[in-house]
């Protein structure tokens, strides 16, 4: 009997010790913990709850009457938890004074027979994370507004630019057409004048020839300018593809330009290719392309120099290369990246008075690309240049 009493006292002492340990663990946890009974009445709160809660004496109060749980619409979840044992969590609840953000997790507690007898509800303070996220959201939305505003300004500027480019194109095209007629009349008058007064050795012949050259130059420039404005308007964008036998085609092109070369005593050497290569292309556009490159080689060639044209089928890459090289003035390294840009002219051609308008190579590039080809330039200032046009083989 005495023994039984002693062992019961020991058990009570051990239970008390265990309870004390549990309480200490719950108190030292960095989260707020409450224990409620089956009716939602608070039977235990840990230290952390007391620190953060505005509720001064929460014990024996029902959570169903406490403002925080009502305002956060948590009552149905607690009811379901206490009646059916369904755990729940809810993120970003706001403390009653509005200063903290809390995530809540609640799970049921059961007696020794497995019946629900209450619940443990835990709350984690996530204020810092939520505030950081809110700040990030705010910054994001400010950034989005700024981007939207900049995009709007950019598209406005784009529309203005497009409009002014269209106007410029229209103006150049109109001016080009207007200038062509008086230019043709001037040329006709000049020829008439030359025939009427054929004074072979007179100094006026030189003057008339020089006027003729200038008229031709202006006509060439006009033709380049109107070529581009028509591409921009997309009216000559269509291609008239046909078979082109390159030996004959390039021989004709070289022949057409010979008179220009003779004046500078430049030799134009064309080497036919034995395989008689053939490509598919737009004859008129390809003629413009090769005449531009060859005439540049002559324009920027040295007196008594040479221009070589040859064809090199590249069977591995299923393309045909047409290589035009000269031993002329060459192109400075710094100019190389820009020579295919519209209106770009090197310092030399700007000053020598022989160059055009800086449109020739831009037109060449456009024509080559329209044929799905490539154009590459290599040059050494003072030594000469090599232009390689690669076109797909038929
Ligand atoms: P441009 O109408 O001035 O000749 P292009 O577009 O045909 O314009 O050529 C652009 C520039 O590239 C020229 O101004 C010239 O300085 C340079 N260039 C083109 N081809 C040659 C070449 N064969 N030798 C030296 N310079 C060249």
């Amino acid at each position: 009997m005495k023994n039984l009493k002693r062992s019961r006292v020991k058990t009570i002492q051990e239970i008390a010790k265990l309870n004390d340990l549990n309480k200490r663990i719950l108190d030292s946890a960095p989260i707020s913990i409450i224990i409620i009974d089956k009716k939602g009445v608070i039977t235990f709160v840990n230290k952390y709850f007391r620190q953060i809660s505005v509720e001064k004496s929460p014990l024996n109060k029902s959570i169903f009457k406490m403002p925080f749980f009502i305002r956060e619409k948590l009552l149905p979840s607690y009811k379901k938890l206490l009646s059916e044992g369904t755990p729940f969590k809810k993120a970003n609840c706001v403390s009653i004074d509005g200063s903290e953000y809390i995530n809540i997790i609640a799970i049921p507690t059961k007696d020794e027979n497995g019946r629900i007898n209450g619940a443990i509800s835990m709350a984690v303070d996530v204020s810092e994370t939520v505030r950081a996220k809110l700040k990030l959201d705010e910054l994001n939305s400010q950034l989005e507004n700024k981007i939207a505003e900049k995009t709007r300004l950019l598209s406005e500027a784009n529309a203005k630019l497009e409009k002014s480019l269209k106007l410029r194109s229209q103006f150049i095209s109109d001016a080009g057409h207007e200038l062509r007629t008086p230019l043709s009349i001037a040329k006709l008058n000049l020829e008439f004048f030359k025939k009427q007064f054929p004074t072979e050795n007179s100094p006026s012949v030189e003057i008339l020839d020089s006027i003729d050259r200038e008229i031709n130059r202006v006509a060439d420039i006009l033709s380049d300018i109107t070529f581009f404005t028509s591409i921009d308007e997309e009216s000559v964008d269509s291609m008239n593809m046909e078979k082109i036998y390159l030996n004959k085609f390039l021989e004709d092109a070289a022949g057409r330009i010979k008179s220009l070369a003779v004046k500078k005593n430049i030799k134009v050497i064309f080497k036919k290719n034995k395989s008689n290569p053939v490509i598919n292309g737009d004859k008129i556009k390809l003629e413009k392309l090769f005449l531009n490159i060859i005439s540049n080689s002559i324009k920027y060639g040295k007196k008594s120099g040479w221009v070589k044209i040859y064809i090199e089928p590249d069977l591995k890459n299923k393309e045909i290369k047409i290589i035009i090289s000269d031993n002329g003035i060459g192109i400075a390294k710094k100019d190389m990246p820009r020579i295919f840009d519209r209106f770009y002219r090197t310092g030399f051609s700007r000053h020598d008075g022989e160059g055009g308008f800086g449109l020739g190579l831009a037109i060449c590039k456009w024509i080559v690309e329209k044929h799905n080809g490539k154009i590459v330039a290599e040059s050494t200032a003072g030594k000469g240049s090599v232009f390689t046009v690669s076109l797909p083989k038929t």
Side-chain angles (χ1 to χ4, degrees):
M1 187 66 187
K2 215 174 179 182
N3 267 354
L4 199 68
K5 214 172 169 186
R6 207 176 291 139
S7 93
R8 197 181 293 150
V9 169
K10 209 174 166 201
T11 314
I12 290 168
Q13 275 174 353
E14 269 165 11
I15 289 172
K17 248 194 209 165
L18 206 62
N19 274 343
D20 188 48
L21 182 67
N22 277 344
K23 193 173 167 307
R24 269 192 284 145
I25 291 171
L26 292 178
D27 270 344
S28 57
I31 54 174
S32 152
I33 301 170
I34 59 173
I35 298 178
I36 52 176
D37 69 10
K38 183 95 172 94
K39 289 188 174 144
V41 174
I42 297 175
T43 57
F44 171 83
V45 297
N46 75 342
K47 223 181 195 169
Y48 198 82
F49 178 89
R50 289 185 199 278
Q51 276 170 21
I52 65 161
S53 174
V54 287
E55 198 69 56
K56 288 297 158 231
S57 44
L59 288 181
N60 299 321
K61 281 196 177 150
S62 166
I63 58 158
F64 293 110
K65 292 193 179 127
M66 287 163 78
F68 168 76
F69 296 92
I70 298 168
R71 200 203 55 202
E72 286 297 325
K73 300 190 174 68
L74 291 165
L75 303 192
S77 303
Y78 277 103
K79 268 185 196 151
K80 211 164 170 215
L81 169 70
L82 292 171
S83 59
E84 294 168 27
T86 318
F88 73 87
K89 44 185 172 180
K90 185 161 187 237
N92 301 342
C93 302
V94 182
S95 66
I96 214 73
D97 62 359
S99 64
E100 316 285 345
Y101 292 92
I102 298 161
N103 283 359
I104 287 188
I105 304 169
I107 49 167
T109 56
K110 292 179 181 169
D111 62 17
E112 55 270 25
N113 298 317
R115 278 194 295 261
I116 299 160
N117 64 358
I120 299 182
S121 185
M122 291 161 278
V124 186
D125 184 350
V126 288
S127 307
E128 269 180 37
T129 321
V130 173
R131 274 192 209 111
K133 192 181 171 301
L134 288 176
K135 185 81 199 151
L136 204 66
D137 286 349
E138 192 191 320
L139 288 175
N140 264 346
S141 96
Q142 279 172 8
L143 202 67
E144 268 167 26
N145 288 344
K146 267 191 193 154
I147 290 172
E149 175 63 7
K150 292 274 180 248
T151 313
R152 192 184 61 75
L153 289 175
L154 206 64
S155 62
E156 255 177 43
N158 238 350
K160 266 188 201 158
L161 194 68
E162 229 166 71
K163 199 175 159 197
S164 81
L165 280 179
K166 255 206 174 117
L167 279 175
R168 193 186 71 167
S169 238
Q170 186 62 47
F171 170 75
I172 294 174
S173 163
D174 291 351
H177 286 116
E178 289 299 319
L179 284 172
R180 217 173 265 167
T181 318
L183 215 58
S184 313
I185 295 170
K187 201 165 164 62
L188 280 175
N189 283 342
L190 193 71
E191 261 148 36
F192 176 76
F193 194 76
K194 269 189 187 169
K195 274 187 198 142
Q196 289 287 308
F197 308 98
T199 43
E200 283 287 303
N201 291 321
S202 131
S204 57
V205 172
E206 218 171 276
I207 296 169
L208 293 181
D209 279 348
S210 140
I211 295 173
D212 197 19
R213 270 201 305 278
E214 286 309 310
I215 290 177
N216 286 341
R217 200 170 147 239
V218 175
D220 282 349
I221 291 173
L222 276 183
S223 138
D224 279 359
I225 290 175
T226 39
F227 181 90
F228 257 128
T229 51
S230 16
I231 300 172
D232 290 342
E233 289 159 15
E234 277 175 324
S235 57
V236 295
D237 213 4
S238 58
M239 305 284 281
N240 283 320
M241 303 300 267
E242 59 185 300
K243 262 189 178 176
I244 297 175
Y245 289 89
L246 283 174
N247 277 342
K248 167 102 180 59
F249 185 74
L250 289 170
E251 191 177 35
D252 287 351
R256 281 188 59 186
I257 221 143
K258 267 213 167 113
S259 59
L260 195 67
V262 168
K263 283 182 197 153
K264 283 176 95 169
N265 194 28
I266 288 177
K267 254 195 203 143
V268 179
I269 305 153
F270 169 60
K271 226 174 138 205
K272 279 188 183 170
N273 188 280
K274 275 188 254 150
S275 66
N276 196 19
V278 56
I279 55 156
N280 236 340
D282 182 312
K283 243 182 189 161
I284 294 177
K285 292 193 177 80
L286 287 182
E287 193 168 70
K288 194 165 184 63
L289 161 76
F290 291 115
L291 287 182
N292 267 350
I293 302 176
I294 303 168
S295 68
N296 271 354
S297 288
I298 297 169
K299 264 193 316 192
Y300 304 112
K302 287 179 192 155
K303 274 205 170 120
S304 308
W306 49 257
V307 176
K308 290 179 189 163
I309 307 159
Y310 61 99
I311 309 167
E312 199 181 87
D314 179 350
L315 298 178
K316 200 178 97 199
N317 293 316
K318 291 190 179 151
E319 59 186 22
I320 293 180
K321 288 185 168 148
I322 298 108
I323 300 157
I324 297 143
S325 56
D326 63 64
N327 64 342
I329 58 163
I331 303 165
K333 221 175 174 178
K334 70 169 175 51
D335 291 317
M336 287 301 282
R338 300 200 53 198
I339 54 169
F340 291 101
D341 290 354
R342 288 186 191 187
F343 298 109
Y344 189 77
R345 307 178 64 203
T346 66
F348 173 81
S349 84
R350 262 181 263 130
H351 293 119
D352 83 328
E354 202 174 347
F357 224 52
L359 281 172
L361 286 182
I363 290 176
C364 291
K365 188 165 181 273
W366 185 88
I367 294 173
V368 172
E369 281 170 1
K370 273 278 156 193
H371 283 82
N372 297 320
K374 277 187 310 233
I375 179 165
V376 176
E378 291 154 284
S379 188
T380 310
K383 290 208 167 152
S385 312
V386 182
F387 284 82
T388 306
V389 173
S390 310
L391 296 170
K393 198 178 161 332
T394 44

